Amino acid sequence: MTISDRHRRILDAVQQAGQLGVPQLAELTGTSEMTVRRDLEQLADQGMLERYRGGARSLTLRGEAPPFAVRSHEGQDAKRRIAAAVADLIADGEAVVVDSGTTCLEVARLLVPRRLTVMPLSMHAANALTGAPQLRLLLPGGEPRRDELALTGPLAEASLAALRFDTAILGCCGLTADGLTAYDLADAAMKRAIIASAHRVIVVADPAKFARTALAFVAPVSAISMVVTTDDVAEDDANALVAAGTIIHRA
């Protein structure tokens, strides 16, 4: 493999994953970690990626979300840990709005036995909550996006504007100190409406989201009450979010 081929493979892998560590890239390219570190320094000097201690992250915006069916099988253990931590933060009797997305779906599943009022913003979550014995289920209007089945549009936004929730569980596509971002413009509008409707906003995000910026800006970090992630989050990423005005809760 030539140096050019190796650099292209590294860039493609980092772009696809959002960020990767040196050991992973060494295995991918069949070279030593020392060689990979030199490659990363060269690529960083060219403005192709961003170096951090032990790896690199992409500087390119990711304009499209992977399909829901693909995401639902990725990082299942981390999503379930995050969901369990979020469920523990919600008290019986609360009114809760649950965003679309695979991690929010895991949260919805854990709310089934609880005594709550819940408005899910995806048909996947609505199906999971249907028939819950103690739960009051509110269904918004809106147009379901194909595959994702997230409810968006004026009817969904009007449903949120008419209500006030104790807690919002918000998914994200990207989360950095610069703010929360989404792949889809309609989804970004819904997330802003969710934030405006809730007293407390809890963002659920695995550590990979902290290195990612998507197309549509949603809100600054200061609009978020708390981010729930896993305990393997990079300290630099966590500290940057705390400095920007939120709380990090590790699951």
Side-chain angles (χ1 to χ4, degrees):
M1 185 185 301
T2 66
I3 293 175
S4 177
D5 290 340
R6 193 169 67 240
H7 284 187
R8 173 50 53 192
R9 182 169 294 187
I10 289 171
L11 285 171
D12 288 346
V14 171
Q15 164 67 9
Q16 180 65 31
Q19 67 178 33
L20 283 173
V22 168
Q24 295 165 292
L25 291 169
E27 181 178 358
L28 176 70
T29 57
T31 55
S32 68
E33 293 187 9
M34 183 177 295
T35 298
V36 167
R37 289 190 183 93
R38 285 198 299 266
D39 289 338
L40 294 181
E41 291 295 341
Q42 292 171 9
L43 291 167
D45 288 343
Q46 296 168 25
M48 303 295 286
L49 48 73
E50 180 185 359
R51 285 281 279 126
Y52 64 87
R53 185 180 178 87
R57 59 173 60 97
S58 175
L59 289 172
T60 305
L61 300 181
R62 296 184 64 185
E64 296 183 356
F68 184 92
V70 172
R71 300 194 333 268
S72 65
H73 294 289
E74 294 177 340
Q76 289 181 326
D77 178 66
K79 291 174 183 177
R80 288 167 183 161
R81 285 160 52 199
I82 291 169
V86 170
D88 286 343
L89 293 169
I90 297 172
D92 282 350
E94 284 196 43
V96 182
V97 57
V98 181
D99 194 11
S100 60
T102 55
T103 307
C104 288
L105 177 57
E106 293 297 332
V107 175
R109 287 169 174 155
L110 292 182
L111 300 183
V112 169
R114 301 288 299 278
R115 183 174 58 82
L116 300 165
T117 297
V118 180
M119 177 183 279
L121 294 175
S122 84
M123 295 177 69
H124 291 298
N127 287 335
L129 292 164
T130 298
Q134 300 184 84
L135 186 141
R136 182 186 184 193
L137 180 61
L138 303 179
L139 296 178
E143 182 179 356
R145 288 163 49 204
R146 184 178 299 179
D147 179 57
E148 195 78 19
L149 298 186
L151 294 163
T152 61
L155 291 176
E157 291 177 40
S159 297
L160 288 167
L163 298 169
R164 292 296 177 266
F165 297 93
D166 297 297
T167 300
I169 310 303
L170 195 65
C172 72
C173 305
L175 180 61
T176 70
D178 294 327
L180 183 77
T181 53
Y183 291 113
D184 183 85
L185 294 176
D187 184 39
M190 282 300 297
K191 292 183 190 306
R192 286 192 289 271
I194 291 169
I195 292 170
S197 73
H199 175 70
R200 176 176 64 158
V201 178
I202 299 176
V203 171
V204 293
D206 63 80
K209 301 285 181 67
F210 290 17
R212 187 176 300 162
T213 300
L215 174 67
F217 181 77
V218 175
V221 173
S222 57
I224 300 164
S225 308
M226 178 185 299
V227 178
V228 179
T229 186
T230 53
D231 56 10
D232 56 342
V233 61
E235 284 300 322
D236 287 349
D237 291 333
N239 292 339
L241 290 174
V242 170
T246 192
I247 297 168
I248 302 294
H249 181 91
R250 293 170 171 83

